[in-house]
Amino acid sequence: MSRVYNFSAGPSMLPEPVLKTAQAELLEYEGSGQSVMEMSHRSAVFDEIIKSTEARLRRVLRIPGNYKVGFFQGGASTQFAMVPLNLMTTGSADYFVTGNFSGLAAKEAEKFGRVHIAASSKDKNFTYIPNVKTADYSPNASYIHICQNNTIFGTRFAELPQRPGVPLVADLSSCILSGPLDVSRYGLIYFGVQKNVAPAGMAVAIIREDLLGQAGPAVPAMLNYKTIIDKESMYNTPPCWCIYMTGLVLRYIEERVGGLEAMELINTAKAALLYDYLDSQEFYKNPVEKRYRSLMNVTFTSPTPEMDKAFCTAAAEAGFVNLKGHRLVGGMRASIYNAMPHEGVAKLVQFMEDFRKANA
């Protein structure tokens, strides 16, 4: 069977050149006589892998020198607890609830202090992003938390909330590396890697130096950013394979794609192709306000739930898999992350049009 077009929201597609490199190096990595999955994390060989991966991440994202990088186990969901455990110094924080994962992050943070919902788009089933300029910010928030791209609902922030002296914390799991990023606008960025970066099993945090060392004495060592970062992500055995794969993906973006500016042009063109088609006909509907449409996750419905089901079945048979929408939204969702080729989106649009003609 040939490879399918995988529109999964995560774990998602990886670039084929990356998979082929990993395949070629699986049994033996660069003359070491062993696989990356077998070697000691304390070895000189792996030390070079983790250091080069961080260096490449710093280059690709242009991370300022006063920010630290850490590789963490547990995915972004563990970060939901780590953020308040490390940063909620005033006992409260402001959260924007614009989808499922930002809601889960807020709920987790309530275990450690007062969570103030500065704004929410729940009133319209998360089909827009609230105005960041008129949000109800609290006077003593330790930080402002957002989920910048909402995987399930297909929305993204068009502008960032910024308050003097209050760090912005952002979950970038489903949009990281999709285009250029001004890291200096954030106090802390974190992301699970399973959408745009690597196989599932790791999160990366990029944190401004002055925000480290604020965790209380009761915070477990593994949930303290400073513990992990002071040991250069080697406090314990790190997720070695994920780190290696992250390095391969970063090298692909840097050397094959040409950096994040080029990556953004590719992603913008793919999203425009799909959204322009959705806007050109009446059979399929996209519920998101145009200004807030995600470049990574495109949601749409057909006339009926029964038709949605028939669409997903026919699509899978045609080689377009994992298009079923999340249960909170229904319909369909095409996740068109970095690794999805333009050809995959073009062929999906043609399939959608053929299905429309056959079922209108």
Side-chain angles (χ1 to χ4, degrees), residues 1-66:
M1 181 179 180
S2 60
R3 282 176 59 78
V4 296
Y5 290 111
N6 179 10
F7 292 90
S8 171
S12 64
M13 289 182 72
L14 287 164
E16 282 197 22
V18 168
L19 291 174
K20 288 177 179 177
T21 299
Q23 181 185 44
E25 296 179 341
L26 181 63
L27 195 63
E28 183 184 3
Y29 175 76
E30 293 191 356
S32 66
Q34 56 195 313
S35 171
V36 174
M37 287 190 280
E38 301 172 304
M39 65 180 56
S40 168
H41 62 295
R42 304 291 181 189
S43 66
V45 180
F46 186 76
D47 186 62
E48 190 279 329
I49 290 173
I50 192 170
K51 282 187 166 64
S52 65
T53 298
E54 180 180 337
R56 205 178 286 271
L57 181 66
R58 286 185 171 277
R59 284 199 306 275
V60 170
L61 280 176
R62 296 172 185 158
I63 299 173
N66 64 324

Side-chain angles (χ1 to χ4, degrees), residues 22-23 32 36 68 98 110 128 165 179 190 217 230 249 254 275 306:
Q23 181 185 44
S32 66
V36 174
K68 297 292 187 180
T98 54
E110 287 175 350
Y128 72 103
Y190 67 87
D230 280 356
V249 169
E254 190 174 37
Y275 283 123
E306 292 74 24

Side-chain angles (χ1 to χ4, degrees), residues 41-283:
H41 62 295
R42 304 291 181 189
S43 66
V45 180
F46 186 76
D47 186 62
E48 190 279 329
I49 290 173
I50 192 170
K51 282 187 166 64
S52 65
T53 298
E54 180 180 337
R56 205 178 286 271
L57 181 66
R58 286 185 171 277
R59 284 199 306 275
V60 170
L61 280 176
R62 296 172 185 158
I63 299 173
N66 64 324
Y67 284 74
K68 297 292 187 180
V69 173
F71 301 109
F72 297 85
Q73 294 162 355
S77 294
T78 299
Q79 297 294 309
F80 296 167
M82 286 187 72
V83 168
L85 282 171
N86 285 265
L87 300 188
M88 200 185 278
T89 54
T90 65
S92 70
D94 285 350
Y95 277 69
F96 278 72
V97 176
T98 54
N100 184 59
F101 293 110
S102 56
L104 291 174
K107 186 176 181 180
E108 189 76 353
E110 287 175 350
K111 298 174 182 177
F112 311 107
R114 177 178 177 268
V115 168
H116 173 72
I117 306 303
S120 173
S121 51
K122 187 177 182 180
D123 61 322
K124 295 183 180 178
N125 199 33
F126 305 116
T127 54
Y128 72 103
I129 300 294
N131 189 330
V132 300
K133 291 184 172 64
T134 58
D136 178 28
Y137 299 106
S138 57
N140 66 332
S142 302
Y143 58 87
I144 301 166
H145 181 281
I146 65 170
C147 181
Q148 194 155 318
N149 183 86
N150 295 289
T151 316
I152 291 174
F153 294 92
T155 61
R156 64 166 178 168
F157 277 73
E159 55 186 325
L160 299 176
Q162 301 274 257
R163 291 188 64 212
V166 184
L168 176 62
V169 176
D171 176 355
L172 268 62
S173 294
S174 56
C175 61
I176 193 69
L177 300 180
S178 61
L181 187 72
D182 183 357
V183 175
S184 68
R185 299 188 70 187
Y186 305 82
L188 169 63
I189 290 166
Y190 67 87
F191 51 92
V193 297
Q194 70 275 11
K195 301 173 188 293
N196 248 352
V197 188
M202 182 174 78
V204 179
I206 303 167
I207 184 168
R208 208 172 63 213
E209 281 181 332
D210 62 292
L211 298 177
L212 290 168
Q214 300 183 147
V219 174
M222 285 295 291
L223 298 180
N224 188 328
Y225 286 119
K226 186 172 171 56
T227 302
I228 308 301
I229 286 172
D230 280 356
K231 294 293 185 180
E232 299 180 317
S233 300
M234 301 286 279
Y235 176 77
N236 70 330
T237 308
C240 299
W241 182 255
C242 282
I243 292 168
Y244 159 75
M245 289 295 291
T246 296
L248 293 186
V249 169
L250 289 166
R251 186 171 75 187
Y252 168 82
I253 291 173
E254 190 174 37
E255 297 178 2
R256 300 272 301 250
V257 176
L260 293 183
E261 288 81 4
M263 194 79 255
E264 184 176 50
L265 291 175
I266 294 168
N267 287 327
T268 300
K270 288 188 301 187
L273 181 63
L274 186 46
Y275 283 123
D276 286 351
Y277 171 71
L278 287 169
D279 292 341
S280 72
Q281 48 72 62
E282 297 296 325
F283 185 82

